Structure formats: C-alpha cells, structure tokens
Amino acid sequence: MIELILLGMLYDGFAGTTYDLKKGMERSTEFFHNSSLGSIQPALKKMEQAGYLTSEEQVENNRLKKYYRITETGKAHFDQELRKDFGPDKLKCNQLVKIFFYDKLSLEEQLGSLDEYLQGIEQTKKMLHHIEATGEERMVEYGVTYETYPAAKFQMDTLHFGLDYFQFLSNWFSKYRETLIERDKEAKK
C-alpha cells in the first residue's frame, strides 16, 4: 500500500524528497495508513530499482537532497495497482485488544481506559475538522476549485470517511462504557 501512496503522490509531476513525501503523507494519508521513514525509504529504493521512479541528487544549503520523480512505467504500474481489488480490510483497533482482556482490570480501570480513549477520539475529530476547514480555506487562497483540481473532491471524501469513522468509534465506545456500568450494577444485585 505504501508504494501506491508514494506513486500517487508523485503521479502529477511532483518531485519530492523522502522528507517531502513523509510530510505530505502526515497531512493526508496518515489518518488511514501509517507510514514511517523506515518504511518509505526502502519502498522508494525498491521502486527506483523496479524502474517506477528516477532520482536526482541536488545540493541545497550545503546539504545533499535526493528528489524522486515517477516514470511512465511507474504511472502504468500505479494505474494497474489502483484498479486491483484489495479485498476487505481487517479491523484494527488497539482499544479492542485492551477490551479483550478487561477481565484483568477493575471497573474503575476499565472506565478510565475508555475515558482516555474517548478523549483521544475527540482530539482527532477536532484535528480532522480543522484540516477540513483549513483545506477549504487554502483552496480559496490559491484560487483552486473542485473543477480545476478534481482530486480535491476525493481527498475530502477520505477526510469525511475519517470524521464518520471517529464519530462511530465515539458512539460505540460511549455506549460500551454504559454497558460496563450496567453490567457492574447487575452483578452487585
């Protein structure tokens, strides 16, 4: 998946360093696909060896920087990969791992764990709302519209998925918190 993201970021002629690509991912795809410099660097090397990318080294401010560009072969590979079915996603939620072993915690610890998790969800939702607002402001600032930059529609769609997803998590874990309280009351009867 990291290769698809990197090729997609370079697809429209953008040339970027590893750092540029990492920062771009932090502002966009990081919310649904984690990536580290430790995974980006080997992916770039592998794709360059496969002929999907070229690189050019430049000295800037007495520092050597390596810029990557997508090749026509890379674009063809990206187009092919984008059209593949990736199959269903596996559900990955670290909080569910903790819940799986909640029998080892007191009710107070369980509720504290959920409260901390719910606070994190709220912070993430605020951040996504901020990205949504500032993204639309930047489009206006740069004179970009959905007609002149159609990719923005789809990028905003992924942001809205994130907002819906975190709202679902907030609802589910809040309801589960109440379930734990009710179970405790029933057990004490």
Side-chain angles (χ1 to χ4, degrees):
M1 194 59 61
I2 185 132
E3 290 181 7
L4 186 69
I5 293 169
L6 292 167
L7 289 172
M9 293 184 80
L10 296 168
Y11 195 92
D12 292 325
F14 169 74
T17 64
T18 304
Y19 179 80
D20 296 332
L21 293 164
K22 172 64 175 153
K23 286 297 174 191
M25 293 169 84
E26 285 175 2
R27 291 187 303 270
S28 59
T29 58
E30 186 79 13
F31 297 103
F32 50 88
H33 189 275
N34 283 343
S35 53
S36 64
L37 286 175
S39 62
I40 293 171
Q41 290 168 331
L44 290 170
K45 183 177 180 178
K46 179 181 171 187
M47 290 188 297
E48 187 173 16
Q49 290 170 344
Y52 301 150
L53 301 175
T54 60
S55 65
E56 178 183 332
E57 292 181 340
Q58 297 178 7
V59 176
E60 294 178 12
N61 299 326
N62 294 325
R63 296 186 74 201
L64 184 64
K65 292 188 175 188
K66 190 173 191 177
Y67 285 88
Y68 293 92
R69 289 187 189 280
I70 193 168
T71 63
E72 290 304 316
T73 303
K75 286 183 178 184
H77 179 70
F78 174 83
D79 292 341
Q80 181 182 25
E81 291 298 306
L82 190 60
R83 287 164 175 78
K84 283 185 180 178
D85 176 26
F86 297 129
D89 294 334
K90 288 183 180 179
L91 177 62
K92 184 177 179 182
C93 177
N94 294 333
Q95 190 65 24
L96 288 178
V97 173
K98 290 176 77 172
I99 289 173
F100 193 82
F101 298 106
Y102 262 15
D103 64 308
K104 313 290 189 273
L105 300 177
S106 68
L107 176 64
E108 292 76 27
E109 291 170 316
Q110 294 168 359
L111 297 177
S113 173
L114 288 171
D115 290 343
E116 186 177 337
Y117 184 70
L118 287 165
Q119 287 173 358
I121 288 172
E122 289 307 310
Q123 290 173 346
T124 301
K125 285 171 41 182
K126 285 179 185 176
M127 182 177 52
L128 291 175
H129 280 296
H130 176 74
I131 290 169
E132 178 182 36
T134 57
E136 291 173 355
E137 289 171 9
R138 274 183 275 153
M139 286 179 67
V140 170
E141 179 182 332
Y142 295 119
V144 175
T145 65
Y146 289 124
E147 288 74 35
T148 60
Y149 185 61
K153 289 180 195 174
F154 300 105
Q155 292 166 359
M156 290 301 276
D157 290 345
T158 62
L159 179 93
H160 292 136
F161 172 88
L163 287 167
D164 290 348
Y165 174 73
F166 283 103
Q167 186 59 54
F168 164 79
L169 290 178
S170 179
N171 294 343
W172 193 91
F173 284 102
S174 293
K175 184 177 173 183
Y176 183 68
R177 186 183 191 287
E178 296 306 314
T179 298
L180 292 177
I181 293 169
E182 289 301 316
R183 281 184 192 163
D184 186 64
K185 287 179 186 176
E186 289 297 317
K188 290 180 178 177
K189 285 185 179 178

